[in-house]
Structures are given as structure tokens and as C-alpha cells.
Amino acid sequence: MRRVGRDVIKLGLSTMRSTGMHRMLGDSWRGLGAIFMLHRVVEEAAPDTAFAPNRILEVTPDFLDAVIGRVRGLGYEIVSLDDMVSRLRGGGPGPFAAFTFDDGYRDNFELALPIFEKHDAPFAVYVASDLPDGLADLWWMTLEASIRAVDHLEMEIGGEVIHHRAETNKDKRGAWESVYWRLRDLPEDEMRHAVSVLAEQAGIDGRAIANAHAMSWDQVRALHSHPLCTIGAHTASHYALAKLPKERAREDMLAGTARLETELGDKPKHFAYPYGDEGSASQREFDLATSQRFASAVTTRKGLLFAEHGNHLRALPRLSLNGDYQDVDLVEVLLGGAPFALWNRFKRVNVA
């Protein structure tokens, strides 16, 4: 999401909270429940003045702990993915919440697990198998590290050479905004190549960054055997599937699932689409997840869960716990459903 968009949304949510506008629709848009989406848990939040564009993927342990407590305090039962599917198929009971992490970061094991143990609450981690295999290209982390390392950004994207000052944190934030969405519009291989060229120029080892943050297979196995945790599939290489030819998308999904089955002894029943937005996963990908017999598949489309989602179990929306919005009161606003009703133009199910 572009920075201006994040700022507008944050202002809107804060206004709803302070004025009580989110209560105007009553409970009609609360639905059956919600799937919370997270990525990383880090000890300290980066300050607003820092150059930390990937901060949106990070929450602190204290915030996660507070959210779980608030969700339960609001009367939600925290459930496993299997239980979530059962309730959606049966139309309830609710309200319930499922907590999910994407990618497979080491901090999910080291920092998140103890918090869920404290609350005796189930959660899920969708693992892209390249991470524990030591093969991952976490290009967004590499891009951030590369911009941090240079005073002037020069980057060729789609045949256009982008120049941007990168001396101060403000400059670096501007440089990120100049290139990030241009990169996201490129074909996957071309995007990753462009970032790798910049990283080489900046003296950044992207593979080392990925390996420093990835869970090991021993940690994945430990989570898989833990009674509170479900391991789901997230492809092998974390490509935006909709930008790949159909057969390549299918193969990346199958490869990630097969790798997890080899290491864990069980085939994952649940799936998360990398990136998960409308440009990364749509009907073709939903059909692929159905053909591969996943019990559920989650997107990053914004929304809560309604009984109607029982007919769209491979296109489920989520509620992002975003590092830019680490205010537990905003979670209560989001669970009320009014922001998503407005966002989705009062459609309960958004799978088009």
C-alpha cells in the first residue's frame, strides 16, 4: 500500500475510534469472525522517523500479547484453521478469530510462540519452503538494506533508469516510494533481477539477509508438533502466482507443499497466497488451490468472515495486524466491521 494510502486509512480508523462512527452499523457487519494476518514479531518498533519501510510487516511482542487479550475480552474464541473451516461450513458458531503468520520467520518461533503459549491460543504459520531450505529471495528486505546502504539510488526498472537522492532517512523513504510499486508491476523474475543488481552495487548479500531471518527445518518441525500450531503451505519461492504462467504457478504451489510434506510427514491442509492481493491471487489461483484440495486458502483481501464464506473457502479475507497501526483500540474498530463494509462497498464476500 502506498504511503499516502496508509496515512489516509490510519486517519480514518482513528477518526472512527474517537467519534464512535464504527458503531453506526451495529453488529450487522461483525460477521462470524476474523482471520488475523501477521508476518514478523520484533522486540522493538522502528521509530516513525527511521527508514524502515518493511515496518508494516512487524509487530512487537507487547502489541501481539495485547491484541490476543483484547480479542478474547471482546468475546471471540480463538480457533485453529481446522475449526475455522468447520465453523464456516456450518455457519457458526461465532464470533471466532484465527491468527496466522506468513512466510516462516525465525521470530515466529522465538518470540510469537511463547505469547500464544501464555494465552493457550492456537495459531498458524504458512511456510514458503525456500526459507528453511536457505534458498529464499526476500527481495523486499534486500531492497530496504540496499537503499539504506547507498547515498544515491540508481536503478533500472522496466527499461527506465531511476535516480533518487538517498542521503537522509527522508530521502531514502522517497527513494523507496519511487521504486517499490514500479518493481511490483514488473514480471516476477524481472523484478527480482532488478533488486539483485542494486544489491550487488550496494554490497548487500540478500541471501544472507533471508537466511538470518528464516526458520530452520528443526524449528518448523517443532512448531508442527506443537499442539497449538498449524503449519500451512505458502508455495516454494514466494512468487505472486497470478503473474506466473498457470503451469509454473501450479508447480510452485505443488513444490512448496511437497517439500513441507517431506520434512514434516504430513501434507499441509491450508494455504496462503504470496502477497495475496487482487493482482497476485484471483479466480485462477483459487481454482488451483481447490484442485490441490486445500481445505482453506487465505488472501490479503481486507474483510471479516461471514457465513457466505463457507462457499468460498479458497478465497478468504484477512485482517492485517500492521506495524503502522500498533494501537489495540484500532483492532476493536476493525472487528466491528464498518471499515471493511465501506472498503468492500457493502459486499460481504469479495472474490471477483
Side-chain angles (χ1 to χ4, degrees):
M1 186 186 301
R2 291 166 171 81
R3 166 59 63 180
V4 63
R6 292 200 298 269
D7 289 345
V8 168
I9 290 173
K10 190 172 185 178
L11 176 61
L13 292 174
S14 297
T15 300
M16 283 188 176
R17 178 190 61 187
S18 61
T19 63
M21 289 172 56
H22 62 290
R23 300 189 182 94
M24 292 177 62
L25 297 179
D27 291 332
S28 60
W29 286 89
R30 190 182 186 195
L32 290 176
I35 306 171
F36 287 97
M37 176 182 68
L38 303 100
H39 288 80
R40 299 194 58 215
V41 180
V42 299
E43 292 285 4
E44 294 184 6
D48 288 341
T49 55
F51 171 63
N54 288 310
R55 174 179 53 198
I56 63 172
L57 304 177
E58 303 170 353
V59 301
T60 65
D62 287 345
F63 178 66
L64 177 59
D65 179 66
V67 168
I68 295 173
R70 178 65 64 89
V71 168
R72 279 199 166 139
L74 291 170
Y76 285 75
E77 184 178 357
I78 300 175
V79 301
S80 68
L81 294 183
D82 285 344
D83 195 1
M84 175 197 73
V85 168
S86 177
R87 293 184 185 214
L88 287 175
R89 285 176 172 162
F96 62 85
F99 282 82
T100 64
F101 290 81
D102 285 8
D103 301 342
Y105 298 101
R106 184 182 303 272
D107 52 72
N108 296 178
F109 179 82
E110 296 175 344
L111 298 179
L113 174 60
I115 297 170
F116 286 94
E117 288 177 327
K118 170 187 171 181
H119 289 274
D120 193 27
F123 68 107
V125 180
Y126 298 106
V127 177
S129 61
D130 275 1
L131 266 79
D133 272 339
L135 302 173
D137 181 2
L138 303 182
W139 65 268
W140 53 95
M141 286 187 171
T142 302
L143 179 64
E144 178 180 325
S146 299
I147 294 176
R148 183 176 291 112
V150 300
D151 292 329
H152 179 86
L153 174 71
E154 180 177 333
M155 193 173 192
E156 183 176 345
I157 302 176
E160 178 185 3
V161 179
I162 308 298
H163 293 273
H164 203 289
R165 289 181 58 183
E167 296 177 0
T168 67
N169 283 340
K170 182 178 179 180
D171 292 339
K172 294 179 189 297
R173 290 193 293 270
W176 174 278
E177 293 293 333
S178 291
V179 301
Y180 178 81
W181 287 106
R182 286 186 173 98
L183 288 166
R184 285 292 305 274
D185 288 338
L186 293 177
E188 287 288 287
D189 293 330
E190 188 175 341
M191 173 188 69
R192 294 185 183 208
H193 175 71
V195 175
S196 70
V197 171
L198 174 65
E200 184 175 359
Q201 294 170 348
I204 297 299
D205 185 341
R207 181 62 57 80
I209 291 174
N211 290 344
H213 290 92
M215 273 196 290
S216 67
W217 279 117
D218 283 344
Q219 291 171 328
V220 177
R221 281 189 285 269
L223 285 181
H224 176 64
S225 65
H226 197 288
L228 291 176
C229 187
T230 298
I231 297 295
H234 198 41
T235 75
S237 303
H238 201 283
Y239 284 104
L241 295 172
K243 295 168 68 175
L244 300 178
K246 181 178 180 179
E247 185 58 26
R248 186 175 173 193
R250 188 183 74 86
E251 289 176 354
D252 199 31
M253 293 173 70
L254 289 171
T257 303
R259 191 73 185 92
L260 287 167
E261 184 175 12
T262 296
E263 291 290 339
L264 305 179
D266 297 309
K267 181 180 179 181
K269 296 166 57 179
H270 305 276
F271 182 78
Y273 305 100
Y275 308 102
D277 59 281
E278 289 85 345
S280 303
S282 196
Q283 191 58 54
R284 188 193 74 172
E285 288 65 51
F286 304 157
D287 291 343
L288 285 172
T290 300
S291 69
Q292 295 183 30
R293 300 188 177 183
F294 287 110
S296 74
V298 295
T299 70
T300 62
R301 298 183 188 215
K302 302 172 180 63
L304 302 180
L305 298 175
F306 296 88
E308 293 90 334
H309 283 105
N311 296 319
H312 301 279
L313 290 169
R314 288 89 182 179
L316 297 176
R318 287 191 283 178
L319 190 168
S320 174
L321 288 180
N322 187 309
D324 277 345
Y325 306 86
Q326 295 192 67
D327 180 339
V328 73
D329 290 336
L330 294 183
V331 175
E332 184 172 346
V333 173
L334 291 167
L335 284 173
F340 298 120
L342 296 172
W343 183 274
N344 292 318
R345 300 180 181 180
F346 293 93
K347 293 188 297 183
R348 293 181 186 275
V349 176
N350 176 24
V351 298

